[in-house]
Amino acid sequence: LDHLSFGSCWVGCSRTLFVKVHNTSPVKAEWDFKKPMGSNRDEAKFLIEPRAGVLAPGERCVVAVEYVPTDGMAHSLKLPLKVAQSSKTRTLTLDGSGVVTKLLFDPPVLDLGPILPYDPKGALADVQITNASSRPVEVY
């Protein structure tokens, strides 16, 4: 598996996918995800645990990759997976898109005017909130 696609993920949420690293050689294998290839501006959006390890012959390790978008943009990262004493380097490509909740308020600004402290009448006004997202939103 060389590619993990996280699809669309809401900002404020995360999605975790798993990769299994397997040592098929007859000797122990020390592996490590190196610094990203190309731009590393999206590196903080993808959390990898564990990032390195040593596997005995035939041993497997599950690596968790968590995508945590902080904005409504597309993100991608190319991570080289290096095994010590091996000339081959595998590349794991990660991508996902952040989706932002969009609420519309009508009126966009509400002016209640001056209100005296402890005034029993208080102030009332109507506001209409429209959810322009494809996800339910709780307002309280």
Side-chain angles (χ1 to χ4, degrees):
L1 179 66
D2 296 340
H3 184 255
L4 289 180
S5 181
F6 291 85
S8 297
C9 185
W10 290 93
V11 171
C13 297
S14 69
R15 180 170 293 148
T16 304
L17 299 176
F18 299 91
V19 175
K20 192 177 287 187
V21 180
H22 181 203
N23 180 8
T24 58
S25 74
V27 296
K28 76 175 186 172
E30 186 175 338
W31 60 274
D32 184 17
F33 282 105
K34 298 298 183 184
K35 289 190 182 272
M37 298 165 55
S39 172
N40 65 346
R41 69 178 173 87
D42 292 334
E43 186 173 11
K45 311 282 192 283
F46 298 96
L47 308 173
I48 300 167
E49 186 62 36
R51 204 167 169 97
V54 178
L55 295 174
E59 188 177 12
R60 300 168 197 255
C61 175
V62 176
V63 177
V65 183
E66 183 179 18
Y67 174 53
V68 186
T70 55
D71 54 37
M73 300 180 62
H75 306 102
S76 67
L77 198 64
K78 290 185 182 224
L79 281 178
L81 175 60
K82 180 71 176 144
V83 178
Q85 280 77 43
S86 173
S87 58
K88 293 182 181 177
T89 300
R90 300 286 300 259
T91 301
L92 180 62
T93 303
L94 312 172
D95 65 47
S97 299
V99 180
V100 180
T101 303
K102 186 172 182 183
L103 297 178
L104 305 173
F105 294 87
D106 186 29
V109 176
L110 188 62
D111 183 7
L112 298 175
I115 303 169
L116 293 172
Y118 306 107
D119 185 351
K121 291 185 242 170
L124 290 175
D126 288 327
V127 154
Q128 182 177 353
I129 302 173
T130 305
N131 180 6
S133 308
S134 61
R135 168 190 189 181
V137 176
E138 182 178 353
V139 179
Y140 52 94

